């Protein structure tokens, strides 16, 4: 078994999952746990975290863990803890890094066996090691940053980068080396065992009680319903699908049909569009939108309970919440010390209160998306549901970048962007746009502007374009997302923002364009495909009557863990002619749309969603 000591980083749970992916059991503990309680573990992993070790009050482990003789791997903040314990120095301001980076690796270090001398990894840190700890050797570096240290005799290893996330290309091998070779673990822990224990847990929690399960149509809530059906009397299960008016095209119909075919006896569909739209009237702040949607969901659920004469204090609420949702929401029970990145609709205050009373059932609480998909297959759910792309509970509402129309481009930022492009000798033109989107920086979710790059003629070369996006977001902290303009960028420099609020017209354009794009890209190797509606245009077209008020961004995301990921490459996964054809079809069918963008940023620094 492996002990993961949580220092509050948002990737703690991903570390735990990487261990389980290797079929090894792991437990997460607060970093301060007493060393005595860890003597039965074969290895210890110290996670990343938002604090700085040079601060007096920062989180510390029990010093004795370093004397147990158990192998230790420290990741990011975890490496800093090892460094200061053994007399090294950690400093701020050497160089902060948030994103993909190429580092040099010493492949003779046991942690890096079978890796390449240069590896692409995710760096996400403010502080770094400025003096190596006594008795430790350097085994990885990126420019002047210490990226890896080790003491082979003590079996203590530290890495500045994050081997646990997808963005670190050979991160899995780093774990394999640590778990199998350095810790010497041989036993296996299977997903079947974990499904059985989830079923047992639901039986114990709900017994003969009545359970209401919210089914969105995604694989998560379908798995929850599937587990409830295995654990409880079907008469006691009430499945509720709330159509909030932000579902994709025909989605609610498809969901309800396939779930009733699956053995759910009491399936109730609620059309609640009017109330959701009314509650969101005039709201532009993304966090407020999420909260309003989450609360309206629960109010609708409570109304439904009273209609069914279910006792609110005795009815369980079941939902398909995944562990990463709770970590990203900064839920104190789960994330330990992780800072809030965003509130997920299923972790709003009212749900947290019910959870405290023991009336929330979260069957998937301990799993990640890919595990849920495997469980779906084990439960016999149709492939259509098991393989469905994820869709946020708040739906299309968070893909409308609502604003009051007063945003303008900061000219200093615009100049800095142009100067950077000049310096790199880039063949692209670029400008900032009067709209913001969300990204992640370290443990924080930040709103920042984004840049559009365009060249108006030849097909771009993906590798150099992606590298340019990386350079722009690395060098200019006010940009967390870069898009490529599909087609002409004429007039884009003077693009204006228009007021846009949640309403029938914009939701309906978004839904139709989403349908068009997702259909055309459905057979590609993409984990999530969708579009975002932006209230910006150059205002051209007004003269001929059809006011072009909107633009569309196409987002593709390739990932396993959804904590990090990359866009699908143009030119290989999606041929350039195909994406241009899609862009032209959008412009032809929707005269209100002026520009079509392709999001070319990874997470981090961008997020998958734009809000
Ligand atoms: P981000 O934007 O954080 O998204 O990179 C990661 C994954 O989570 C989904 N997502 C949500 N799912 N409620 C949900 O159920 C939400 O509020 C929410 N926000 C993001 C997103 O679609 C992606 O799959």
């Amino acid at each position: 078994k492996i002990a993961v000591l949580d220092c509050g980083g948002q990737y703690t749970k991903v570390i735990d999952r990487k261990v389980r992916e290797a079929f090894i059991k792991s437990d997460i503990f607060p970093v301060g746990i007493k060393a005595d309680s860890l003597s039965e573990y074969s290895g210890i992993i110290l996670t990343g975290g938002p604090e700085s070790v040079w601060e007096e009050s920062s989180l510390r482990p029990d010093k004795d863990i370093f004397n147990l003789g158990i192998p230790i791997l420290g990741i990011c903040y975890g490496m800093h803890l090892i460094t200061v314990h053994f007399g090294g120095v950690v400093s701020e301001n050497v160089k902060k890094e948030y994103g993909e980076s190429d580092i040099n690796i010493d492949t003779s270090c046991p942690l890096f066996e079978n890796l390449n001398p240069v590896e692409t990894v995710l760096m996400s840190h403010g502080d770094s090691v400025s003096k190596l700890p006594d008795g430790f050797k350097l085994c990885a570096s990126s420019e002047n940053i210490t990226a890896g240290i080790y003491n082979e005799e003590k079996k203590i290893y530290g890495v500045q980068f994050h081997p646990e996330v997808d963005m670190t290309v050979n991160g899995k091998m780093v774990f394999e080396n640590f778990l199998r070779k350095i810790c010497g673990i041989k036993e296996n822990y299977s997903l079947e065992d974990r499904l059985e224990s989830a079923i047992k847990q639901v039986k114990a929690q709900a017994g003969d009680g009545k359970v209401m399960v919210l089914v969105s149509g995604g694989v998560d809530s379908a798995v929850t319903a599937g587990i409830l059906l295995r654990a409880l009397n079907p008469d006691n299960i009430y499945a509720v699908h709330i159509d909030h008016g932000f579902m994709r095209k025909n989605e609610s119909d498809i969901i309800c049909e396939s779930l009733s075919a699956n053995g759910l006896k009491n399936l109730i569909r609620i059309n609640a569009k009017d109330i959701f739209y009314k509650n969101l009237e005039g709201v532009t702040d993304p966090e407020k939108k999420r909260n309003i949607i989450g609360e309206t969901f629960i109010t609708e659920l409570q109304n439904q309970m009273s209609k069914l004469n279910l006792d609110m204090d005795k009815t369980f609420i079941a939902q398909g919440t995944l562990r990463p949702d709770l970590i990203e929401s900064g839920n104190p029970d789960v994330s330990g010390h992780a800072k809030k990145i965003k509130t997920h609709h299923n972790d709003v205050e009212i749900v947290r209160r019910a959870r405290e009373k023991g009336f929330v059932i979260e069957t998937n609480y301990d799993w990640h998306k890919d595990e849920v998909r495997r469980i779906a297959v084990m439960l016999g759910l149709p492939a259509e549901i098991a393989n469905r792309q994820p869709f946020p509970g708040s739906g299309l509402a968070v893909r409308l970048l609502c604003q009051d129309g007063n945003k303008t481009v900061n000219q200093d930022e615009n100049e800095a962007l142009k100067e950077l492009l000049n310096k790199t000798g880039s063949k692209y033109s670029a400008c900032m746009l009067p709209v913001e989107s969300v990204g992640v920086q370290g443990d924080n979710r930040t709103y920042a502007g984004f840049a559009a790059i365009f060249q108006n003629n030849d097909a771009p070369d993906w590798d150099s374009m992606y590298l340019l996006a990386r350079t722009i977001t690395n060098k200019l902290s006010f940009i967390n997302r870069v898009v490529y303009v599909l087609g002409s960028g004429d007039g884009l420099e003077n693009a204006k923002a228009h007021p846009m609020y949640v309403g029938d017209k914009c939701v309906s354009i978004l839904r139709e364009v989403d349908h068009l794009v997702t259909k055309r890209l459905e057979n590609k190797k993409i984990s999530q495909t969708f579009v975002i509606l932006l209230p910006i245009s150059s205002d051209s077209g007004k003269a001929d009557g059809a006011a072009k008020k909107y633009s569309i961004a196409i987002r593709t995301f390739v990932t396993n863990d959804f904590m990090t990921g990359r866009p699908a490459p143009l030119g290989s996964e999606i041929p350039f002619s195909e994406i241009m054809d899609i862009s032209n079809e959008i412009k032809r069918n929707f005269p209100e749309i002026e520009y079509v963008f392709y999001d070319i940023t990874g997470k981090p620094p961008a997020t998958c969603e734009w809000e």
Side-chain angles (χ1 to χ4, degrees), residues 283-303:
V283 181
T284 54
D285 180 67
E287 265 295 292
K288 266 197 199 142
K289 270 188 189 165
R290 283 174 189 276
N291 274 314
I292 291 172
I293 292 169
E295 276 162 20
T296 311
F297 254 114
I298 297 297
T299 317
E300 284 303 301
L301 196 69
Q302 285 171 335
N303 290 345

Side-chain angles (χ1 to χ4, degrees), residues 290 328 342 344-345 392-394 528 562 603 607-609:
R290 283 174 189 276
E328 291 202 340
K342 93 191 132 199
H344 277 256
H345 73 284
S394 37
Q528 200 170 352
F562 285 91
K603 170 184 178 178
T607 41
C608 171
E609 300 286 343

Side-chain angles (χ1 to χ4, degrees), residues 208-491:
D208 291 328
K210 303 227 184 282
V211 181
M212 199 158 220
V213 55
L214 272 172
V215 286
S216 65
V219 62
D220 305 336
S221 52
V223 161
T224 297
I227 289 178
L228 294 177
L229 280 168
R230 286 264 185 115
L232 309 173
N233 176 349
D235 292 330
N236 289 338
I237 306 170
Y238 296 83
V240 180
H241 173 71
I242 299 177
D243 177 359
H244 47 18
F246 302 115
M247 299 303 281
R248 288 169 290 189
K249 195 168 176 173
N250 303 329
E251 193 165 26
S252 290
D253 297 344
I254 300 170
I255 290 158
C256 290
E257 278 161 28
S258 67
L259 284 175
S260 33
N262 235 12
L264 281 171
K265 285 188 173 174
N266 312 310
L267 178 63
I268 303 139
R269 173 174 174 170
I270 306 173
N271 292 322
K273 179 187 144 192
D274 292 347
I275 182 77
F276 276 90
Y277 281 34
K278 184 164 173 293
N279 290 352
L280 287 166
E281 231 167 56
V283 181
T284 54
D285 180 67
E287 265 295 292
K288 266 197 199 142
K289 270 188 189 165
R290 283 174 189 276
N291 274 314
I292 291 172
I293 292 169
E295 276 162 20
T296 311
F297 254 114
I298 297 297
T299 317
E300 284 303 301
L301 196 69
Q302 285 171 335
N303 290 345
Q304 194 58 37
M305 281 187 182
S306 29
K307 274 193 204 152
L308 291 166
N309 284 327
L310 293 173
D311 184 341
M312 260 182 234
D313 288 328
K314 290 195 186 138
T315 305
F316 293 84
I317 299 176
Q319 53 181 18
T321 324
L322 298 188
R323 191 78 163 193
D325 298 352
L326 299 178
I327 297 170
E328 291 202 340
S329 295
N331 183 306
D333 297 340
V334 182
S335 51
H337 317 279
K339 283 190 184 158
K340 178 165 174 165
I341 294 188
K342 93 191 132 199
T343 307
H344 277 256
H345 73 284
N346 45 14
D347 196 32
V348 290
E349 208 40 51
I350 194 164
V351 175
R352 289 189 184 180
R353 280 204 302 274
R355 192 182 284 121
E356 270 165 30
K357 289 197 229 147
F359 274 93
V360 176
I361 297 177
E362 279 161 329
T363 55
N364 313 346
Y365 182 79
D366 220 21
W367 300 330
H368 286 260
K369 198 82 188 183
D370 55 328
E371 294 175 322
V372 171
R373 290 193 196 285
R374 276 155 54 206
I375 299 255
V377 175
M378 283 154 62
L379 287 169
L381 291 168
E384 190 201 356
I385 289 192
N387 300 329
R388 211 177 169 81
Q389 290 196 353
F391 183 60
S394 37
L396 298 179
V398 291
R399 292 174 181 171
L400 297 163
L401 293 200
C402 294
Q403 58 157 296
D404 54 19
N406 292 327
K407 281 210 171 85
T408 50
V409 167
N410 176 324
Q411 286 312 326
D412 291 342
E413 293 178 356
N414 212 22
E415 283 311 310
L417 170 66
K418 286 174 193 297
E419 210 180 295
L420 176 65
L421 254 78
N422 267 341
K423 253 198 228 152
T424 57
S426 167
K427 60 183 177 185
Y428 300 102
S429 310
C431 63
M432 300 289 295
L433 296 175
V435 63
E436 287 188 332
S437 81
V438 79
V440 273
Q441 239 203 28
D443 285 305
N444 293 318
R445 196 163 167 93
T446 51
Y447 285 85
F450 65 88
I453 63 171
F454 51 96
Q455 64 170 359
N456 288 347
N457 41 39
D458 302 340
D461 164 61
W462 176 259
D463 289 342
S464 63
M465 185 161 82
Y466 187 56
L467 188 66
L468 177 64
R470 248 168 78 174
T471 309
I472 292 174
T473 51
N474 274 341
K475 302 262 184 226
L476 305 175
S477 61
F478 51 86
I479 297 175
N480 61 17
R481 196 178 292 269
V482 182
V483 296
Y484 180 71
V485 186
L486 297 170
S488 162
D490 290 349

